[in-house]
Amino acid sequence: MNIMLITVKERTREIGIRKAIGAAYQEILYQFLIEAFLISGGGAVLGILIGLAIPAAVQPLLPGNLRVPVSGLSVLISFLVSCSTGLFFGYLPANQAARMQPVESLRYE
């Protein structure tokens, strides 16, 4: 959420320009929600890859036939939880960006 709030503050002028040339509330809202989804989704994919690499690296060190199973369902759930968390906490900054007045945001900086 902090990253998205900083992103909104840094791009205030861009938001003002988009609003001034006719961008609708929902277009700006979706822009920032998609950005939040991509950031959290990228983090989820990175976390999943690390979570899969650790059991693969530890496997040769385990005695005998002992295995570390990784469920496909747990991978899917972790991806969905991460993306939904990103969307949930990205909504406030996205809403804040979409509600900006063009004149005020162009005056910013």
Side-chain angles (χ1 to χ4, degrees):
M1 184 169 171
N2 286 338
I3 296 299
M4 292 305 296
L5 284 169
I6 291 169
T7 300
V8 168
K9 285 293 179 197
E10 287 177 350
R11 294 167 64 188
T12 299
R13 193 158 178 80
E14 173 195 338
I15 295 164
I17 292 170
R18 288 196 63 205
K19 297 277 282 191
I21 61 172
Y25 167 84
Q26 286 189 333
E27 291 173 352
I28 294 175
L29 181 73
Y30 290 155
Q31 173 189 347
F32 283 96
L33 284 178
I34 289 170
E35 188 174 334
F37 177 78
L38 290 175
I39 289 171
S40 61
V45 168
L46 192 64
I48 289 169
L49 291 176
I50 291 171
L52 292 174
I54 291 173
V58 172
Q59 188 65 40
L61 304 174
L62 296 175
N65 240 357
L66 194 59
R67 293 184 33 88
V68 179
V70 178
S71 167
L73 181 63
S74 65
V75 170
L76 179 67
I77 290 173
S78 67
F79 181 78
L80 291 175
V81 166
S82 177
C83 289
S84 62
T85 302
L87 286 176
F88 180 76
F89 287 109
Y91 180 77
L92 178 68
N95 189 33
Q96 179 183 1
R99 290 197 185 278
M100 283 184 181
Q101 295 298 321
V103 174
E104 292 298 320
S105 49
L106 285 172
R107 194 181 321 171
Y108 184 75
E109 280 187 79

